[in-house]
Every structure is written in C-alpha cells, then in structure tokens.
Amino acid sequence: MPEGDTVWRTAHRLHTALAGRVLTRSDLRVPRFATSDLTGRAVLDVTPRGKHLLTRFEEGLTLHSHLRMDGSWRVFATGERWSGGPAHQIRAILGNAENTAVGYRLPVLELIRTADEQNVVGHLGPDLLGPDWDPAEAVRRLTADPARSLGEALLDQRNLAGIGNVYKSELVFLAAVTPWLPVGELAPGVPERLVATAHRLLEANKDRPDRRTTTTRHPAHHLYVYGREHRPCLRCGASVRRAELGDRVTYWCPGCQKGPTR
C-alpha cells in the first residue's frame, strides 16, 4: 500500500532514471494535459512530499502525481517490455535514451508551474521523510484537536505527511491504545513517542520493500495487527479485530490496546 516509505522509494527510482537527462518521449494520457509535450526538456529532480511526487523539469514545470490506493510508477530500460498493467491503465510515459518511466492507474496527474507547487502540497504537515521534518511541530498539529480520535488524527496529512492506513494501525497498536481514543486523552509523553516512532519506522523501511514494524525475524510476522483479522496477536495471543474508522478500516488488538471501541 503506497505510504510515505513507498513513495520515497518510488521517487528515488524515478530520480535515478530520469534526473539530469533530456526527455526523448513524453505522453500524458489525461484529457487536460493530453496535448502537453515535455520532449526536449531535462528532468531536474524527482522529489517526494508526503504521499505526493513532484517531477521537476527545466523551464519551471512540475509534474505532480499521487498514487493513492493502487497507482504506481514503473521504470524500464529502453527496449525492455513494460509490465504493470494493461495499456489502457497507463496515464503517463516519460522516457530518455536509457530509461522509460511509466505511470499506471495514477488518480492524480497534473502539470503545474514549479512556482505553484505550494498549491498542491502546501497544506501538508511535516514530512516524516523530508528535510523539513520537525517533530515538535508534528506533535503540535497532532494534538491540536483534543476531541479527535487518534486514528483520524494520524491519517490527516495536515498533521504528519506520509502516514497511511498501515502505519496508522501499527502506531496505535504500539501506543497500546485503541484508534478511537481522543487525542486529548493520551497520557503525557505518548504523542511525542508516537511521532518519534513514526519517524523511526518510515526511515527504517524506506530502503526495503518488505515493510516491517515488528522486531521478530519471522517471515510472516512483518506487522503486528494490520491485515491480521482473526489471527492471534503477536504479543498477547488475543484475536486481532477489524472495524471501520471513518471511511477506512482499522485493525487493533482488544488485549493490548485500551480505550473506546467502535
């Protein structure tokens, strides 16, 4: 599931394949930008911002994309057969003499002026994997609405940029509270530990595809609760549960996590 660590790795692959090279192929397959041609422009860099990707070109243009649930960017050597989905799911093609980047099922794809990037990412909170990471500001934003549930506050990208449903479920488990607990009821020091743990986990996972939040080396136990409905908790053995939290699902352990339930 594309969360901050996945987006960071995607940006790194795209930057390695495209940055510093001139495009020899450009195809944006969305109606608004179908006639836009970036051929002949050099790619300056590919930068992640939370769950957003900013591909910057010379002459002040940026291609803004977001993966959401099932979008992806794939990189292929020139001449290599593409794989990632059927052709009708391709939304963008950026190619140079050595590599071709293909964007599949991208729900957000827009060409903007680089000077206007703040219009699409300026609302985001501190980026857990960005150079602007500020734990104190992240804690301030996370706790700004004491009545809001912790699960919803963690998912709000205006608080911390990069947390999705997987990390939300895992972080709340590690805090030993339920995702419905109001932020204002967290014990002193817990918000700071939550923010520090989120940063540590995303940093640890950004360079590896097998996302892990547990300390066990068991190959089937990468996560404590996410996706483990009806299976025993790795810590206490209770059956992990699943329920709705807003418009998303959440997983929690009724044995390890204290607080209100749905």
Side-chain angles (χ1 to χ4, degrees):
M1 189 168 292
E3 302 195 18
D5 50 356
T6 304
V7 174
W8 189 94
R9 285 196 305 277
T10 298
H12 181 72
R13 288 197 302 268
L14 290 172
H15 183 87
T16 301
L18 301 176
R21 297 180 173 93
V22 173
L23 291 184
T24 57
R25 181 174 183 181
S26 164
D27 187 0
L28 304 182
R29 299 181 180 179
V30 292
R32 184 179 173 189
F33 302 104
T35 60
S36 300
D37 187 5
L38 298 169
T39 303
R41 295 177 188 261
V43 177
L44 302 180
D45 63 81
V46 182
T47 297
R49 183 71 174 87
K51 299 182 185 181
H52 299 253
L53 286 162
L54 302 171
T55 304
R56 300 183 179 118
F57 305 90
E58 60 183 354
E59 301 180 29
L61 288 178
T62 294
L63 186 65
H64 167 231
S65 59
H66 195 295
L67 305 180
R68 288 193 180 162
M69 291 296 289
D70 61 351
S72 69
W73 279 98
R74 303 291 184 92
V75 174
F76 306 95
T78 298
E80 182 182 0
R81 184 175 180 177
W82 300 350
S83 60
H88 72 265
Q89 293 183 347
I90 295 174
R91 298 292 177 266
I93 302 170
L94 303 174
N96 54 46
E98 292 83 20
N99 305 296
T100 302
V102 184
Y104 289 90
R105 301 172 299 279
L106 299 174
V108 176
L109 186 71
E110 57 182 340
L111 192 62
I112 62 175
R113 294 190 307 165
T114 301
D116 294 334
E117 287 180 358
Q118 284 298 99
N119 293 340
V120 295
V121 297
H123 65 288
L124 298 175
D127 187 342
L128 283 153
L129 294 177
D132 70 329
W133 172 240
D134 184 341
E137 175 63 12
V139 170
R140 186 191 71 78
R141 293 189 181 214
L142 185 67
T143 58
D145 183 355
R148 194 176 195 187
S149 73
L150 176 59
E152 291 177 321
L154 285 170
L155 285 174
D156 192 335
Q157 301 300 294
R158 296 170 297 181
N159 295 334
L160 293 83
I163 291 179
N165 216 27
V166 177
Y167 278 115
K168 175 265 298 177
S169 296
E170 295 296 293
L171 286 166
V172 175
F173 172 83
L174 290 169
V177 297
T178 67
W180 297 277
L181 184 77
V183 171
E185 296 183 22
L186 289 171
V190 173
E192 289 79 6
R193 290 199 297 273
L194 263 172
V195 166
T197 301
H199 182 241
R200 175 177 58 80
L201 288 176
L202 266 76
E203 278 285 348
N205 284 311
K206 71 180 184 181
D207 291 316
R208 60 190 184 197
D210 57 333
R211 180 184 294 144
R212 180 181 292 275
T213 61
T214 64
T215 55
T216 176
R217 305 320 301 175
H218 192 292
H221 295 166
H222 286 188
L223 303 175
Y224 283 109
V225 291
Y226 186 86
R228 303 192 73 249
E229 182 184 11
H230 302 316
R231 297 172 66 184
C233 172
L234 299 180
R235 284 188 172 173
C236 75
S239 180
V240 173
R241 297 182 184 177
R242 166 181 165 163
E244 293 182 1
L245 178 68
D247 60 351
R248 309 289 288 275
V249 298
T250 193
Y251 298 84
W252 89 101
C253 170
C256 293
Q257 295 172 254
K258 308 304 179 185
T261 58
R262 184 173 64 91

